[in-house]
Amino acid sequence: MDYKNSEAPITTITYDRTKIEEPTHNIYESISIMAKRANQINEDLKKELIDKLEEFATHNDSLEEVFENKEQIEVSRFYEKLPKPTAIAVEEWLNGEIYYRNPDVTDSKK
């Protein structure tokens, strides 16, 4: 998924509790689902960032030589400016983009 085009807020905002708990009718279950999704997003972003930084890495055996690669700094700054994984997860939850299921609840249609 492309997190770079996310419309999630960068700053902290207050959400309506009823909108968050509406799909599950349980605020704790909703928060748990969003937390799991935020962990997934965080892992994806972390892997993507490490892969991009590895492209610019210069491997030296000497610990005294430290090179500041401008490309690495720019990539790092770009990822720092992205919305936090929790904000992206909340935005996806409110837009109905997260699939979830509870295996303990049986479907009445079956």
Side-chain angles (χ1 to χ4, degrees):
M1 181 163 194
D2 190 20
Y3 305 115
K4 297 167 196 74
N5 297 327
S6 174
E7 295 181 11
I10 295 175
T11 59
T12 304
I13 64 169
T14 305
Y15 292 99
D16 185 9
R17 185 183 72 111
T18 57
K19 289 181 182 178
I20 290 177
E21 71 180 10
E22 186 177 328
T24 62
H25 304 293
N26 185 335
I27 188 72
Y28 302 108
E29 186 175 359
S30 297
I31 291 173
S32 175
I33 293 167
M34 288 185 288
K36 289 177 184 178
R37 178 63 182 142
N39 285 336
Q40 290 174 344
I41 293 169
N42 189 42
E43 288 298 318
D44 290 346
L45 287 174
K46 184 177 177 181
K47 183 179 182 299
E48 188 177 318
L49 174 62
I50 289 171
D51 290 344
K52 287 192 179 190
L53 290 177
E54 282 294 319
E55 293 175 11
F56 303 112
T58 55
H59 300 288
N60 294 332
D61 292 338
S62 173
L63 295 175
E64 297 169 359
E65 294 182 34
V66 176
F67 293 103
E68 290 187 3
N69 192 335
K70 291 182 181 180
E71 290 85 6
Q72 285 178 321
I73 294 171
E74 289 300 316
V75 168
S76 296
R77 284 186 181 159
F78 174 77
Y79 277 90
E80 287 176 0
K81 292 179 183 177
L82 288 177
K84 303 295 181 216
T86 51
I88 296 171
V90 170
E91 191 69 24
E92 287 179 355
W93 179 255
L94 293 175
N95 292 337
E97 299 171 2
I98 297 178
Y99 170 78
Y100 67 94
R101 65 182 181 88
N102 188 343
D104 296 333
V105 177
T106 57
D107 223 354
S108 60
K109 296 180 182 178
K110 291 184 178 181

